Each structure stands twice: as C-alpha cells, then as structure tokens.
Amino acid sequence: MAEGAGRARSGSRSKTDRLADHDAIERLADELLPALMAKLGASGLGEMEVREGRWKVRLRRPASSQEASGTSGRRSTDRPSRAQPGHAGHGHSPSAVEKHRPGREARAVSSGNGARPNDGASAPETLPAGRRTVATSPAVGIFHPRTDVRPGAWVRAGDRLGSVDVLGVPQEVVAPVDGVLGASLVESGDAVEYGQELVLIELAGVTSGGQGGGSSGAAEDA
Amino acid sequence: MFRKILIANRGEIALRIVRAARALGIEAVVAYSEADRESLPVQLADEAICVGPADARRSYLSAPAVISAAIVTGCDAVHPGYGFLSEDEGFAEVVRAHELTFIGPPPEVLERFASKEATRRLLAGHGLPMVPGSNGMLRDDGHALEEAERIGFPVLIKPSAGGGGKGMRMVRSPRELETALTIGRSEARAAFGDDSLYMEKWIEDNRHVEVQVAVDRFGHGIHLGERDCSVQRRHQKLLEEAPAPGLSPAARSELCERAIRAVVAAGYENVGTLEFLVDRDGNYYFIEINCRIQVEHPVTEALTGIDLVAMQIRIAAGEPLGIAQADVVSRGHAIEFRINAEDADADFQPQAGIVDRFLAPGGPGVRVDSHVYSGYEVPPFYDSLLAKLIVWGPDRPTAIARSRVALDELLVEGLVTNVPIHQALLANEAFLEGRMTTNLLDRVGGAAFLAAAARA
C-alpha cells in the first residue's frame, strides 16, 4: 500500500482528511478492486480505468500476456461436451499430430463451451502465474456452480465453488487459492471432464497503490 | 447397432477399437487419463474425454468415471478393451444399470466364468479335458501338501483370480511348498485383492495353444482357429502365431471343435478365448477362458480376414453372427511380435520417455497396430507395449522371412525395445523348427538367448 507516500505528503492535512483517505483506500481495495479484477478477467480487455470522486483506479494486464494469447492450446476446441457433438477429430497425418503438441504446462485458460464472449479475438487468455488461477474439475460429470457466490466475491482456498455431478454423486469444486471469484468458464449443467478449467480466481495479494493529495491521486495496479 | 461408443482403454487397443467403430459407422469417444492426453487414440477419436489422473485406479479402473464419461458424451455402449475393466462383471452390471451396453459378454455370463476354478468344473462337464489339479481351493498348507502328493510333484500354484502369471509358482518338492504358498498368496492379494489359490500338475515342456471363439446371443457359435502363444518370458506372451506349429491339422480341428461345442453348451456369449496346455505327446488340457478381445487377436484376423473387434461390437449390439463355421476359411501363416519398451540388458525393465522417431514397416502381409508416433512420450504408468507387428505369409517360412525384413525396417528411436529378442527368436533353431515351449526362454535366460543368437 502507499502508506509511506501518503505519510510523506500528509504534513499539511488534517487527521480527519487522512482518516477519510484511509477509509477510501480501504473501500477501493476491498470492494471496488476485486470487482474490477473480475470484470477485467472476464472481459478480455487489456486495461480498465474507473474514476470515483478524487480517486482513480487503473488496472492493466502486463504486455507479455497479450503476446501469449496466440498460443492458447487447441484443447479449447476439443473439449468434449454436449455443446460440440460429433467433433470431427484432427489431422490424421503424423505431421499434423506433431504440430498439435501443446506443452503440458502451456495449457491456457480456455473454455470449449463458448462461455466467454471474447474468446478467439485478441483475448489475453494467459496471465503470468501468480495473477490468476483457475479451479478445475475433480471428476467427469455435470457442473453446477454455487449460485450464492457471485463473481467479485472473495473466496478462501478450499471454499466450495460448486460441484460436479458424477452418476448422481456430487464432487466438490474448490478454490485452489485465496482470491476473488472471476468468470465461470462453463455454464451450469454443462458436461465437464476431469481437470477441466471451470472458474477463474483472481489472486489475492495483488497490491493497489493509493496516493493522498488531491492533485493526481491514482491507485494503480502495480 | 450403436450410434456412439466410449472406449475405456488406452494405447494400441484403444486405437484398434476406434478404427473398428469408424468402419462400422459408429462414433468413437476415447476416455483417457491425464497421462495419455497426447496419445494417438485421443487425437484420432471423434471425441476424447479426460476421466482422471495418471493413476489407473482413478481413471481407467474407475467405474464411476468411465460410466459418467459415457453418459455425458451421449454414448450408448462402453468398450473396455483388454485389461483394466474388461472382465469385471461388477462393472458390466453397473454399465447395464445405466442403460448402456457393455461390449463383451453380458454381466451374468462374465459372472459364470469369473472364477477359474468354477469355469474348469463347468467346462469339464461339457467335455473339455482338464489338467489334473486340486479339488477346489487350497484351504491351508496341510491341504496343499496332501493335494500335491496326490497329483504328484512338480505342481503349479495358481491364483483363482487374475492372470498374467502373477502369483503363479512352480513347486518341485514338498520342501518348497510352504514358501511358494506364502509368496503366491501375498502376490495374489496384492494383484487381485483375492488370495485364494489352487494347484495343478506342472506339465513340463508344454505349449500354450488357445482357441478363438465367437458366440452370438442366439447361441450360434463358431471357432476361428487356434493360436500358439508358447513364446513367453516369465509367463508374459512375447510372440504368437497361427496355425500352431506343434499340432497336426487333424489335432487342431479336433481341439477347436471341442472348444466351441463346450462353450456354446456352457452358455458363453461374445468373442472369447479358451487357453490350453499341450504336452509333449500332443495331449491338451483346458486352463482358462478369457472373456475379452485379446492382444493377439490380429493373428486370427490375418488368417481369416474377419474383423474380430467389429464382430465383438455387433454381437454386443444383439446382431446374429451372420456366418457359419464353413464360412471361416483360414489361409497361410501369421506371426505377431509384441514390441515392448523394455531393456533386456537391465532385466527387461520397462522404459518410459520420448520416442524420437518411429517408423512402421510395410510390405505384403505386414500390419502394425500401434499408438506410437515420432515425438510421442511413453508414460511410465502403464504397460510397456509400444506396437504389435503382425506378419502374414502363405506359409510359415515366408511369414518368417517377411518378419525378418519387417523387424529390420521397424524404427523406434529414443527408447530401448525388445526388437533384438524377436530377431534372436527368428534365428533360433527351436523356434524355426516350431519346437518352442513356454519355459524355453526363461530356462535359457533372456541375455543368454540374445548372446547365442549373436554368435549364430
């Protein structure tokens, strides 16, 4: 947080002003930022800025993630689901097979069910590790998200985000880390496979910088 | 006929079933574990669905995962391949409870043939000769000793469940019996979760000959000839061929006819294999039945021109066989080589890793069933079978000559394989003369066998 910077400039300001600033920063960090992070995550936009009163919040994805977007694995197209019946398979020549070998680590955040509106364009689907992660399916079955937890809500590691129904037996989908619930990558009622990416989690601990002083107070995503 | 089937297996057999389904106009969905994401059947299937992690118990052996996958992909039947859930009557029953069809014998037929001991009694009642053995399971060490002395040493201790040689022990004297029982029980418990053992007379220098059968739902059955699987290493088949070199045509057809008569009478259904031991004098004894498609089925396909996997699917769909025994015509000679990733110099340790280059041989009568391609990474979690090379010729010498050429052509770079063992076999006098017995390779030892071939 911008505690230090705030203090340096706060000499001429009253204690009430400072307390108000702290309240505002706290509100930004706790309420506005998580919601914005979720929005940015779901939108595919590269940058987002919101002004409110004296404060301005700008969120930006690192440039590297934009470059990486083209490499999102072909897995996005061969996720089996009811939405894609009769998927016609892939190239049958050995060379085609070789070309299509995405590295295991390079599997991108993606969905085969068309749940994301901006899929396919320049949507930056990968973020560097540590910014965003994803809750995956524990089993093959039908996905049902929790309806009482909406994108933008804080979740803790281990929190239940929904379930995958395996022959009538629900298997829990849990948040792998603390963070902010992002977009759902599949619809409720969709067929999902083991390990399929289901719900984005924007990682907690992303800092927001708040600056005191009325002139150009900007809280930026570091 | 089915519209869409789920293939609950991996490797070459998953690909083999994809091909059979396609040829029948059925959509093929491959259920795979995370370790097989890049495998060829997954890439060539109409659809693929990940059912669990690399650990087979949570993927290929998980009935809920497999059945859930079949349901969510809209399949109407499940093909279990071989191994994994292929002979699990409990699984077949759950499949049916979910209104899917198990491609194999119906659950009640699987159950009837689940116990090897009960199967031997059943088929003995229908005229098949049995190896002299214990009356039922061995109750304890004392009972085992009594039975061994009645049958006469040497004897073979075998687990009631399972196969693949696990838990089997040959015992030459009463002194060795107690240790063999202890080891046999613990191996059987570990491998099959069931430590009941039985005992058979050990038949020295035996051959392993099996009969391929197919029976439809209407009780119409045919045999598709026999296969000789005597080339084994530690009870694992290495090479199979047909017709069986050690039997006369008359003996072969008598064996096959007795086999099909017995299983039809016993109520078997779908494709299956009856295994027999053949002793030095040509006497044969029934050992067990395999209620599934077998690894070596292409040998029979090469001779008869019949697609056994397609036949298995059609029978499961309730169709009649559509052919009579007289329509099954066997031509020439075929040999199958199991190409395994294993290192003969390191006690046949299975190898895992990337296959840098893979080139399958070709030419008249040459078929390769394999899930391997250049750049494919063999995962360390499953069996070491990389490919099956099946070579047909109008006669055995031609098949052998073509096999030599094909084995020389076959290229597998990046992993050590057992190709040198096969090449050594094709230079071995006992093999060339058709005198291989199941114990020959182990008696000589793999390394010594290779060294002898190098000197020749």
Side-chain angles (χ1 to χ4, degrees):
Chain A
M1 298 305 259
E3 188 88 15
R7 204 176 297 136
R9 296 177 184 214
S10 65
S12 61
R13 300 172 64 228
S14 71
K15 194 182 173 192
T16 329
D17 284 347
R18 289 204 306 273
L19 282 177
D21 280 354
H22 286 171
D23 283 349
I25 290 168
E26 207 166 287
R27 202 180 66 79
L28 276 176
D30 285 356
E31 294 172 25
L32 192 57
L33 271 178
L36 286 178
M37 284 158 67
K39 263 220 155 69
L40 185 70
S43 72
L45 294 173
E47 189 172 320
M48 193 179 259
E49 187 177 297
V50 174
R51 286 167 191 273
E52 193 188 74
R54 303 189 295 137
W55 300 91
K56 176 172 78 181
V57 174
R58 186 158 67 234
L59 290 170
R60 189 168 49 221
R61 290 173 194 271
S64 59
S65 70
Q66 314 257 359
E67 289 157 25
S69 67
T71 64
S72 63
R74 71 180 173 85
R75 301 301 308 173
S76 64
T77 58
D78 61 20
R79 286 267 184 237
S81 82
R82 283 196 197 287
Q84 297 176 285
H87 170 49
H90 323 285
H92 283 217
S93 70
S95 63
V97 165
E98 264 206 271
K99 266 197 311 234
H100 286 299
R101 291 195 75 222
R104 247 157 232 152
E105 306 74 14
R107 284 181 62 208
V109 173
S110 63
S111 150
N113 299 307
R116 303 189 56 198
N118 289 347
D119 240 14
S122 66
E125 293 201 317
T126 54
L127 277 177
R131 289 308 181 89
R132 166 194 276 188
T133 186
V134 67
T136 56
S137 173
V140 52
I142 304 294
F143 176 59
H144 298 293
R146 246 176 94 173
T147 48
D148 54 342
V149 186
R150 308 218 135 258
W154 280 102
V155 291
R156 308 293 304 249
D159 278 1
R160 197 175 69 82
L161 306 180
S163 62
V164 171
D165 198 276
V166 182
L167 306 181
V169 181
Q171 311 276 317
E172 288 195 350
V173 176
V174 294
V177 291
D178 292 358
V180 176
L181 196 63
S184 194
L185 301 172
V186 294
E187 304 282 338
S188 178
D190 273 354
V192 295
E193 64 181 345
Y194 175 84
Q196 184 165 343
E197 292 161 338
L198 301 179
V199 186
L200 290 180
I201 308 281
E202 308 295 338
L203 290 199
V206 177
T207 56
S208 58
Q211 282 186 327
S215 53
S216 71
E220 288 199 8
D221 179 40
Chain B
M1 181 47 78
F2 309 118
R3 195 184 58 77
K4 193 175 184 183
I5 64 171
L6 186 89
I7 298 160
N9 214 299
R10 60 176 308 279
E12 67 84 22
I13 193 65
L15 185 54
R16 171 74 185 87
I17 301 163
V18 167
R19 287 171 174 155
R22 281 254 175 88
L24 289 168
I26 300 170
E27 275 184 74
V29 183
V30 168
Y32 64 95
S33 83
E34 274 186 323
D36 285 327
R37 194 175 290 283
E38 311 301 334
S39 78
L40 204 51
V42 169
Q43 306 199 36
L44 294 185
D46 293 298
E47 274 181 59
I49 184 161
C50 182
V51 293
D55 182 354
R57 283 168 301 182
R58 293 180 56 204
S59 48
Y60 299 112
L61 283 168
S62 165
V66 166
I67 294 168
S68 181
I71 292 170
V72 301
T73 51
C75 289
D76 37 27
V78 177
H79 198 307
Y82 50 66
F84 296 129
L85 294 165
S86 62
E87 292 178 278
D88 185 327
E89 73 272 19
F91 173 70
E93 233 171 273
V94 183
V95 166
R96 182 157 71 186
H98 284 88
E99 293 174 346
L100 300 164
T101 305
F102 177 83
I103 300 178
E108 54 277 3
V109 174
L110 278 178
E111 203 182 336
R112 190 176 315 151
F113 293 93
S115 152
K116 289 187 191 184
E117 220 274 318
T119 301
R120 294 194 310 161
R121 260 182 285 130
L122 176 66
L123 292 180
H126 291 292
L128 288 188
M130 302 292 147
V131 180
S134 57
N135 288 317
M137 293 299 126
L138 301 172
R139 288 191 300 275
D140 49 45
D141 291 9
H143 179 228
L145 183 62
E146 267 172 45
E147 290 292 275
E149 277 170 348
R150 183 177 60 80
I151 297 162
F153 285 98
V155 293
L156 189 65
I157 310 274
K158 300 177 86 174
S160 174
K166 288 199 188 77
M168 290 202 326
R169 279 280 176 287
M170 198 261 277
V171 185
R172 290 200 177 273
S173 67
R175 204 162 42 83
E176 300 167 16
L177 189 61
E178 199 181 312
T179 321
L181 287 168
T182 311
I183 298 173
R185 278 201 195 94
S186 80
E187 276 190 16
R189 200 182 310 120
F192 317 113
D194 173 2
D195 65 357
S196 35
L197 302 174
Y198 65 98
M199 185 186 287
E200 274 176 2
K201 176 147 187 67
W202 170 253
I203 293 167
E204 208 88 55
D205 294 332
N206 64 69
R207 294 166 186 270
H208 174 124
V209 177
E210 59 188 25
V211 178
Q212 177 73 56
V213 297
V215 186
D216 67 19
R217 191 166 296 178
F218 313 99
H220 177 52
I222 54 172
H223 72 76
L224 295 105
E226 83 296 338
R227 296 181 288 257
D228 185 308
C229 312
S230 301
V231 181
Q232 303 183 357
R233 206 190 67 80
R234 297 189 190 161
H235 304 292
Q236 299 287 335
K237 295 168 188 171
L238 203 55
L239 175 157
E240 303 93 350
E241 63 180 317
L247 292 174
S248 70
R252 288 198 307 259
S253 71
E254 186 203 273
L255 169 66
C256 293
E257 276 157 28
R258 282 180 80 172
I260 187 62
R261 266 202 308 275
V263 285
V264 168
Y268 189 74
E269 183 180 323
N270 215 311
V271 303
T273 301
L274 287 86
E275 299 192 340
F276 295 86
L277 282 185
V278 181
D279 71 13
R280 271 176 285 211
D281 306 320
N283 299 309
Y284 49 84
Y285 308 97
F286 172 79
I287 347 173
E288 63 180 66
I289 184 165
N290 298 130
C291 305
R292 56 162 195 275
I293 194 73
Q294 280 193 284
V295 177
E296 58 270 27
H297 75 273
V299 169
T300 301
E301 294 182 327
L303 291 189
T304 62
I306 290 170
D307 182 333
L308 282 170
V309 179
M311 181 174 264
Q312 183 187 27
I313 295 172
R314 285 196 292 99
I315 293 172
E319 290 188 7
L321 268 182
I323 55 171
Q325 190 63 59
D327 300 322
V328 182
V329 181
S330 209
R331 281 180 58 245
H333 196 94
I335 310 173
E336 175 184 274
F337 303 85
R338 298 193 188 192
I339 310 298
N340 298 330
E342 54 186 27
D343 187 356
D345 290 335
D347 197 29
F348 292 87
Q349 286 253 318
Q351 308 286 301
I354 291 178
V355 177
D356 297 319
R357 272 181 80 203
F358 178 77
L359 188 71
V366 176
R367 161 179 170 183
V368 176
D369 278 18
S370 175
H371 58 294
V372 174
Y373 55 86
S374 296
Y376 172 69
E377 185 174 356
V378 177
F381 313 104
Y382 313 110
D383 69 17
S384 59
L385 183 66
L386 293 180
K388 302 186 311 200
L389 166 65
I390 305 101
V391 182
W392 180 89
D395 48 46
R396 193 168 187 263
T398 311
I400 287 173
R402 286 176 174 177
S403 298
R404 285 200 192 98
V405 178
L407 283 169
D408 285 347
E409 253 180 59
L410 173 66
L411 191 68
V412 184
E413 279 179 10
L415 287 182
V416 182
T417 72
N418 65 348
V419 166
I421 281 272
H422 289 306
Q423 288 169 324
L425 273 166
L426 295 183
N428 179 274
E429 204 175 303
F431 178 79
L432 293 177
E433 292 171 6
R435 289 188 285 110
M436 285 299 288
T437 50
T438 55
N439 59 353
L440 201 143
L441 259 181
D442 291 327
R443 209 169 54 202
V444 178
F449 191 80
L450 281 172
R455 279 195 305 274

